[in-house]
Amino acid sequence: MEAVWEEILEEVSKQIPPKYFRNFIAPLHFVRWEGNDLIVSAPSQIIKSHVEAKYINFIETAAYQVKGDSFRLVLLTDKEESTLHMKSAIENKFQTDEPELNPEYNFDTYIVSDCNKLAFTAAKSISENPGKYNPLYLFGPVGVGKTHLLHAIGSEIKKKDPWKTVRYVDSISFLNEFIFTVRQNNRDSLESFKMRYQSYNVLLFDDIQFLNGGAEKTQEEFFALFNFLYERKRQIVIASDRPSYELPLHDRLKSRFVHGLQADIKEHDQTLRKELLRTYSVQYNIPMSEETLDWLAVNCEGDSRALIGIINDLVLYKKAYQFFLLPEDKIREIANSRLQTNRKRIGFNPDQVIDLICERMSVARKDLLGKSRKADYILPRHLCMLLLHEILGLPKSQIGRIFSAQHTTVIHGINKIKERFLEDQNLTDLYQSIKHQISFQ
């Protein structure tokens, strides 16, 4: 295309005096052809204005002579062209006009049990009447189906109202997109980013817990975006691995999440695990008896990913040894091998458990390990003692050394936290969530 531009310049040089060609036409730089537009950049606003005033017709006529078609000259300054290039780069890097929603993640394929019935009902209500309950905040441990519900909501809304714009994004992708935009150091690029997100009718935001205190500017941008969409009754759905009050975010942002619905998804119960296993066994052609399904459901303490892992082991064994049907005892043997592996600790040490408690309960490490008797510190301290004892198997005397406390103090702390479980379901759920995070891959 550069060669074509050179031919155009040669034609223009035949029409105007050499002095003016040298000063105003030669400095022009070919950018690209875009449909019937010939886009050219000028090194300064002065040259651009002069060419627009006196020489556009010469260039467009020359383009017609060379290319045999009519073109419109679009003249930019180098700065304008650079801005246009950055905007195009951002839009190409983060193409979001038609967000990808996983068609397999729909309401029909979501298996409902007591542990997720509340969240499922809330998600269905949102999809039937977007904006009525806003925002919807879903929380629960890893692998319990939060992302599935986000996609199901988006797909159902698109099915009923194809004209609506729906965006699914996780916090890491949002953070990367924002950082990429900011690094362009260009106001137009930032405005383009804002306008794109403000245009959505539905925003599905996953894993908001990773939008932590280290992403200060990103939190500010999300706060502004949330307010913009909320005030215009656009549906917002947020998913996290913890309740909103535990998020490592500014209070003014967390306070926005209590306006709508909050629904937790608990770890898979036995009924749900059995139905998932039944579905997977049909899907992967691994027939199982009711007795085997019951046995697996009782012994598999993991989430849907852990169940898929067992099924994958069975599929591989069946293929490797060319079984038409796997014997029931072989299914249990293979599954039990996987279960024993999953129950192995994943290398958590006491320091990592302490750091995890500090993060999840928003307490400083020095306060957790200190001597203060404030309730804000005692509760996480006792919970940490219990986790170190029950999950890592540390003796109470060793836990006492970590906390610079007597053996009897550790016993008292563990007993007190167990008593709190009887009256505080939120605390029990938090314990189970952290326990699951530490214990299983």
Side-chain angles (χ1 to χ4, degrees):
M1 287 301 177
E2 290 283 356
V4 175
W5 174 243
E6 292 297 326
E7 292 182 45
I8 293 172
L9 291 181
E10 185 177 346
E11 289 297 324
V12 175
S13 69
K14 298 175 183 177
Q15 307 298 320
I16 64 176
K19 175 182 177 181
Y20 298 113
F21 179 87
R22 184 173 59 254
N23 290 336
F24 297 106
I25 304 300
L28 300 180
H29 174 69
F30 170 78
V31 178
R32 65 181 177 275
W33 300 97
E34 194 171 279
N36 287 325
D37 289 344
L38 168 56
I39 301 177
V40 175
S41 68
S44 68
Q45 184 62 44
I46 294 175
I47 291 178
K48 175 188 174 183
S49 299
H50 196 78
V51 171
E52 287 178 334
K54 293 182 175 293
Y55 302 121
I56 277 186
N57 289 339
F58 290 96
I59 297 174
E60 290 180 343
T61 299
Y64 177 80
Q65 292 172 340
V66 172
K67 294 273 288 183
D69 205 348
S70 297
F71 291 92
R72 180 176 72 99
L73 179 67
V74 177
L75 199 58
L76 308 170
T77 63
D78 286 346
K79 183 178 180 181
E80 290 170 334
E81 193 276 322
S82 177
T83 298
L84 193 65
H85 175 74
M86 285 189 290
K87 181 179 178 182
S88 175
I90 292 171
E91 290 176 347
N92 288 336
K93 185 174 181 65
F94 302 101
Q95 189 63 40
T96 57
D97 289 338
E98 287 297 329
E100 299 244 344
L101 294 169
N102 190 334
E104 295 182 4
Y105 288 170
N106 56 65
F107 288 123
D108 291 336
T109 59
Y110 192 83
I111 300 175
V112 182
S113 184
D114 287 342
C115 60
N116 59 16
K117 186 179 294 184
L118 181 64
F120 177 80
T121 303
K124 284 284 284 184
S125 300
I126 290 298
S127 66
E128 292 165 0
N129 196 349
K132 183 177 180 180
Y133 304 107
N134 208 15
L136 170 60
Y137 186 89
L138 301 172
F139 64 97
V142 174
V144 294
K146 301 185 297 292
T147 300
H148 189 139
L149 283 180
L150 290 182
H151 283 263
I153 291 169
S155 296
E156 192 69 16
I157 291 175
K158 288 289 286 184
K159 185 192 300 182
K160 294 179 179 178
D161 296 301
W163 58 270
K164 285 192 173 179
T165 53
V166 178
R167 177 72 196 276
Y168 166 84
V169 65
D170 62 76
S171 61
I172 299 300
S173 298
F174 182 84
L175 180 62
N176 289 339
E177 186 175 354
F178 180 69
I179 291 173
F180 181 86
T181 302
V182 169
R183 285 178 177 171
Q184 307 310 308
N185 197 26
N186 182 275
R187 186 171 182 176
D188 288 344
S189 300
L190 186 57
E191 286 302 313
S192 175
F193 171 87
K194 292 179 178 179
M195 289 175 64
R196 183 164 63 253
Y197 273 93
Q198 290 173 356
S199 70
Y200 297 121
N201 298 110
V202 181
L203 178 64
L204 310 168
F205 201 89
D206 208 353
D207 289 327
I208 197 171
Q209 70 272 7
F210 295 124
L211 205 65
N212 55 37
E216 189 78 25
K217 290 184 178 179
T218 315
Q219 279 197 48
E220 292 292 332
E221 192 59 42
F222 183 78
F223 179 77
L225 170 63
F226 183 97
N227 285 340
F228 182 93
L229 297 177
Y230 180 82
E231 289 167 2
R232 288 157 181 79
K233 299 189 183 303
R234 313 278 184 81
Q235 183 62 58
I236 305 166
V237 186
I238 296 168
S240 174
D241 67 352
R242 65 198 70 173
S244 60
Y245 60 82
E246 289 182 19
L247 289 172
L249 305 177
H250 293 311
D251 288 340
R252 66 172 185 168
L253 184 52
K254 289 190 286 188
S255 68
R256 297 298 192 273
F257 302 155
V258 301
H259 292 171
L261 290 177
Q262 294 211 16
D264 68 329
I265 309 177
K266 302 184 186 303
E267 292 185 7
H268 293 345
D269 56 26
Q270 184 177 330
T271 301
L272 180 57
R273 289 197 295 269
K274 181 176 179 179
E275 291 309 309
L276 284 170
L277 286 164
R278 189 193 307 280
T279 299
Y280 296 151
S281 68
V282 173
Q283 182 179 344
Y284 293 93
N285 193 26
I286 305 288
M288 299 182 193
S289 68
E290 288 296 313
E291 290 76 12
T292 297
L293 289 172
D294 285 331
W295 183 86
L296 286 171
V298 169
N299 288 277
C300 295
E301 298 179 350
D303 53 35
S304 57
R305 296 171 190 173
L307 301 181
I308 280 289
I310 291 173
I311 296 296
N312 286 337
D313 288 350
L314 297 174
V315 170
L316 179 62
Y317 191 91
K318 180 182 176 183
K319 182 178 181 180
Y321 293 96
Q322 299 181 348
F323 275 91
F324 180 72
L325 289 174
L326 280 177
E328 298 287 312
D329 59 341
K330 181 56 69 175
I331 290 177
R332 297 192 185 198
E333 177 186 332
I334 296 168
N336 193 54
S337 176
R338 161 73 69 147
L339 293 173
Q340 294 301 321
T341 300
N342 281 353
R343 290 190 177 107
K344 291 180 180 178
R345 304 304 179 224
I346 58 174
F348 264 78
N349 57 44
D351 280 337
Q352 289 171 311
V353 173
I354 291 168
D355 289 341
L356 182 59
I357 291 288
C358 290
E359 176 193 348
R360 294 293 296 269
M361 301 192 73
S362 300
V363 59
R365 184 184 178 94
K366 63 180 180 61
D367 295 323
L368 181 76
L369 298 176
K371 297 292 187 179
S372 172
R373 302 299 298 169
K374 286 185 178 180
D376 290 346
Y377 306 145
I378 290 177
L379 183 63
R381 190 179 299 151
H382 288 172
L383 184 61
C384 190
M385 290 176 176
L386 177 64
L387 286 165
L388 291 172
H389 179 61
E390 288 201 349
I391 306 304
L392 295 194
L394 297 186
K396 296 182 180 72
S397 56
Q398 184 177 346
I399 297 172
R401 287 193 292 272
I402 291 174
F403 286 90
S404 301
Q406 296 293 324
H407 176 263
T408 53
T409 302
V410 176
I411 295 175
H412 173 75
I414 290 175
N415 290 336
K416 290 295 290 184
I417 199 70
K418 287 182 177 179
E419 291 174 8
R420 285 290 299 272
F421 288 157
L422 299 176
E423 58 189 41
D424 190 339
Q425 185 60 45
N426 288 332
L427 181 62
T428 304
D429 292 343
L430 173 64
Y431 170 69
Q432 292 296 336
S433 174
I434 298 175
K435 179 180 176 181
H436 184 273
Q437 188 171 346
I438 295 172
S439 299
F440 298 102
Q441 298 186 37

